[in-house]
Amino acid sequence: QVQLVESGGGLVQAGNSLRLSCAASGRTFSSYAMAWFRQAPGKEREFVAFITRSGTMTEYRDSVKGRFTISRDNAKNTVYLQMNSLKPEDAAVYYCAASSSAWNTPSRYNYWGQGTQVTVSS
């Protein structure tokens, strides 16, 4: 089992950057693929990015490609989401999630953090 705690959200102007972090408990972090999802008010939770257990493969939703970067530090049990050139449509609660394999579907993830709010002003 793994517990996840996100941090790094906040209010930022459009065009600026934020880095989200997700700290995982337990000694088996490297055995989990990790992902970021987001959910805006009135919308379904959507995939943002995932990274495989070793960190050798990543995938992104089209709207964030070239702006967001997911990475992980298995020694620190942490996964990151660097978000550059933020847009108002990126505003949402961002969640990190863990699974035994990398997927872009929320239902495939067993463990979730509590979320961190990202607000982007225009």
Side-chain angles (χ1 to χ4, degrees), residues 28-88:
T28 58
F29 178 72
S30 60
S31 66
Y32 292 98
M34 300 297 297
W36 288 95
F37 291 82
R38 66 188 182 187
Q39 189 166 19
K43 295 188 177 181
E44 292 188 353
R45 191 166 297 190
E46 63 182 22
F47 168 75
V48 176
F50 73 57
I51 187 166
T52 53
R53 289 173 288 182
S54 63
T56 55
M57 180 181 168
T58 58
E59 184 175 305
Y60 301 88
R61 71 179 297 106
D62 286 347
S63 63
V64 308
K65 286 179 181 177
R67 300 189 297 123
F68 290 13
T69 302
I70 188 171
S71 62
R72 67 189 297 160
D73 185 337
N74 285 345
K76 294 183 178 180
N77 284 8
T78 303
V79 62
Y80 305 97
L81 186 67
Q82 178 67 44
M83 305 186 294
N84 298 331
S85 302
L86 281 160
K87 303 177 180 180

Side-chain angles (χ1 to χ4, degrees), residues 2-8 19-25 29 34-36 70-73 76-81 94-98 111-116:
V2 61
Q3 293 184 323
L4 305 172
V5 179
E6 302 98 333
S7 61
R19 188 176 82 155
L20 306 182
S21 299
C22 173
S25 65
F29 178 72
M34 300 297 297
W36 288 95
I70 188 171
S71 62
R72 67 189 297 160
D73 185 337
K76 294 183 178 180
N77 284 8
T78 303
V79 62
Y80 305 97
L81 186 67
Y94 282 71
Y95 299 89
C96 69
Y111 304 104
W112 291 85
Q114 82 290 348
T116 186

